[in-house]
Structure formats: C-alpha cells, structure tokens
Amino acid sequence: MTWLALVLALLLEQFHPVGRGNLFYCGYRGFADSVERNFNAGEYHHGVVGWMIAVLVPSVLVLLVAGLLYLVHWSLYWLFGLAVLYVTMGFRQFSPAFTGVADALKEGDLATARTLLGGWTREPASELHEAEVARVAIEQGLIDAYRHVFGPMFWFIVLGPFGAVAYRAATILQLKWGTRDRRRGERFGNFADKAAYVIDWLPIRATAASFAVVGDFEDAVFCWRQQAERWISETYGILLAAGAGAIGVRLGMPLHQEHTVRFRPELGLGEEADANMLASAVGLVWRTLLFWLALILLVTLVRYL
C-alpha cells in the first residue's frame, strides 16, 4: 500500500501540482515565524527549543490523526497518508523553474535563463556565463529533487506520515533559520542546521548511491570519495559529486557574481555543462525514482509472499 500511495501521490502532483504558496506551506511558515518571535533571544538553546516546537507540534499532530484514522479503518489511514505525501513530496514544486532555464538555454536566450535561475535560487545570476547558468541549474535541480522527492519519500517509507511531515518541517527550518543565521554569524538557527545534517545523513547517501546505480557507477563512486568533502556542505557535496559523476558532467567551479569571481571546488568528471546536460540530469532523477519504486515494489511483494 505504501508503494501505491507513492505512485498515486506523484501522479496527482503531476496533474494538479501543489504550489509553493499553498495554504499548508504558508500556514507553516507563519507558525515558524511565530515560534521564532517568541523564542529567539539569540542563544543556541533557544534555537533547540524553537526547533523542537516547530517540528514536533505538526508532526505529532499528524501522527495522532493518522492513529485515530487507523483505528476507524485502515483505508482512512491510507488516504490520509496519500494526502500527506501529496503535500510534502513532488517534482512540480521546482521543475517549472528547471524547465524554464533549460528551454531558455536551448533557445540561446541567456538573459531569460539568468532571470529564471536567479528567481529560483535567490542568488545573483545576472553575470553568469552560459555554462555557469547550466551548472548552477543542474546543482539546484539535484538538490531540489532530493529535498522535494527522495528525502520525504525516504522518511515516509521509514516512519509513515509522521516522517514525511517532520522531514519537510526540518527542511523549511534549515532554510529559514539555519542558512540565515550561518550567514549572519548568529546562534539561534545553528541547531536547525545540525538537525538537518542528522536527518539527511542516511537518505542523502541512499540517493547518491542510487545515482551511481542508474548512472555511471565507477565515476559516481570516484567523485563521491574524492570530491564530496571539498564542497561547502559535505552533505550536498555527496549528492552533487555522485550526481555529476553519474551523468558525466563537471559542476562546481568558479562563478561570476556581483562583479567578482566566486571560487568553488570542481565536482564531477567529463563534459562542460550545457542545455543538453540539463536533460541528462532530468533523466538521472527519473531513473533513480523508478529504481526506488521498483525496489519498494519488490520488497512489498516479497513480504506478501
């Protein structure tokens, strides 16, 4: 039944995507802002308390609802799980931006590609060269595929609706509090960063290993071992290095931003990034998803037999 819920959630999301400004996400961000206003006094332990409240309150609520529905009838529990997956997991939460950048690059419209990429990543993109736009788009696409598909999918399989909601909440807090306070040198969001690292440790390695299985295995493993730790975030370094090696593209490397050159380590092997490589990245993600679904179906059939 878990396999069927995953498949149906992905299909529903393709036909009727959940927008980034939907009621659930806007409501949760408002709740997180309220928690921060009441608990952020600038200390690390305040961030711990705030994170626990902001993650556990919605997650435990979902767990209680799921438990009550299961007591009534298993089918209601299953439908509730499907609804949770539909809200927390999906390609369409980031794929329109990726597709827009890819189409603009294919048409030679670098200005539009830069604008779309800047709006997607919220990073300066007006000075990026064509290859730099392609590299950043592939990097962001692989990270978003993990955040919006493989991460919640993994924790739903392990912990059901509770796991998917807890993962999505932790991801939002890491972006809202952790990334912001890391840049500012403040302490409230430090725990959100550390918690995200722990939560991501296993699923991000499972995703990277899957990239290797469905792509160029030898290069993916080599890049993972030799290059991942050089990246700004070793967690995403694993994902990007394995993904780059799997499709045979070079990611990372310097970027032209804000009238200077931002130096970054090189990830991957092979060709320079371009519009065609964006299509290869999409193919890698879809093959990985099909691999996961096939593996889950196989495990499910073995259990029933």
Side-chain angles (χ1 to χ4, degrees):
M1 299 304 289
T2 297
W3 181 87
L4 183 59
L6 289 166
V7 172
L8 288 178
L10 288 166
L11 289 174
L12 283 171
E13 199 261 346
Q14 288 296 312
F15 290 106
H16 189 70
V18 177
R20 297 180 71 175
N22 69 84
L23 177 65
F24 297 101
Y25 283 83
C26 288
Y28 181 74
R29 289 189 179 97
F31 171 65
D33 289 339
S34 176
V35 170
E36 182 177 9
R37 283 195 301 270
N38 286 281
F39 289 91
N40 187 0
E43 297 298 328
Y44 177 82
H45 66 275
H46 298 146
V48 175
V49 175
W51 187 93
M52 296 291 285
I53 293 172
V55 171
L56 291 182
V57 167
S59 303
V60 171
L61 180 62
V62 164
L63 180 63
L64 291 174
V65 172
L68 289 173
L69 291 175
Y70 185 80
L71 291 176
V72 175
H73 197 275
W74 67 265
S75 62
L76 295 177
Y77 170 82
W78 182 83
L79 288 172
F80 182 70
L82 174 61
V84 169
L85 273 174
Y86 173 66
V87 173
T88 58
M89 182 183 74
F91 282 106
R92 295 295 294 276
Q93 296 185 35
F94 69 93
S95 62
F98 187 91
T99 302
V101 173
D103 290 344
L105 288 178
K106 287 179 182 178
E107 296 168 3
D109 189 351
L110 181 58
T112 298
R114 286 169 167 170
T115 300
L116 291 172
L117 182 66
W120 177 22
T121 64
R122 299 182 182 178
E123 294 284 345
S126 60
E127 302 167 35
L128 298 181
H129 299 166
E130 182 177 348
E132 294 172 343
V133 170
R135 289 203 305 269
V136 175
I138 293 173
E139 292 163 9
Q140 190 66 43
L142 292 177
I143 290 172
D144 279 0
Y146 169 74
R147 286 175 178 165
H148 293 288
V149 180
F150 299 111
M153 185 175 175
F154 178 92
W155 285 114
F156 181 85
I157 294 167
V158 174
L159 297 176
F162 172 89
V165 171
Y167 174 81
R168 175 57 60 234
T171 302
I172 292 173
L173 294 182
Q174 193 272 330
L175 293 174
K176 281 179 67 66
W177 298 352
T179 302
R180 179 203 64 196
D181 286 2
R182 194 182 333 119
R183 291 174 177 172
R184 294 179 180 178
E186 298 178 0
R187 304 182 64 190
F188 179 78
N190 290 357
F191 184 76
D193 257 348
K194 293 180 179 180
Y197 173 82
V198 173
I199 292 169
D200 281 331
W201 196 93
L202 186 55
I204 213 159
R205 283 162 174 77
T207 306
S210 301
F211 285 168
V213 170
V214 302
D216 187 320
F217 184 86
E218 185 176 350
D219 283 354
V221 172
F222 174 82
C223 293
W224 179 346
R225 289 178 174 175
Q226 301 297 323
Q227 300 174 336
E229 63 182 11
R230 305 175 193 168
W231 197 245
I232 306 162
S233 162
E234 184 181 355
T235 299
Y236 288 130
I238 290 170
L239 186 76
L240 296 179
I247 60 178
V249 66
R250 287 181 292 139
L251 303 177
M253 299 191 290
L255 297 178
H256 291 81
Q257 290 180 324
E258 298 180 313
H259 310 294
T260 188
V261 177
R262 175 187 168 196
F263 290 96
R264 308 184 307 164
E266 182 173 335
L267 299 175
L269 300 167
E271 300 180 23
E272 181 70 89
D274 57 18
N276 292 327
M277 280 298 176
L278 267 70
S280 298
V282 172
L284 176 71
V285 170
W286 276 106
R287 290 196 306 275
T288 302
L289 176 63
L290 292 175
F291 173 71
W292 279 37
L293 290 175
L295 190 60
I296 295 165
L297 179 60
L298 179 61
V299 171
T300 303
L301 292 175
V302 169
R303 287 180 62 188
Y304 276 114
L305 293 175

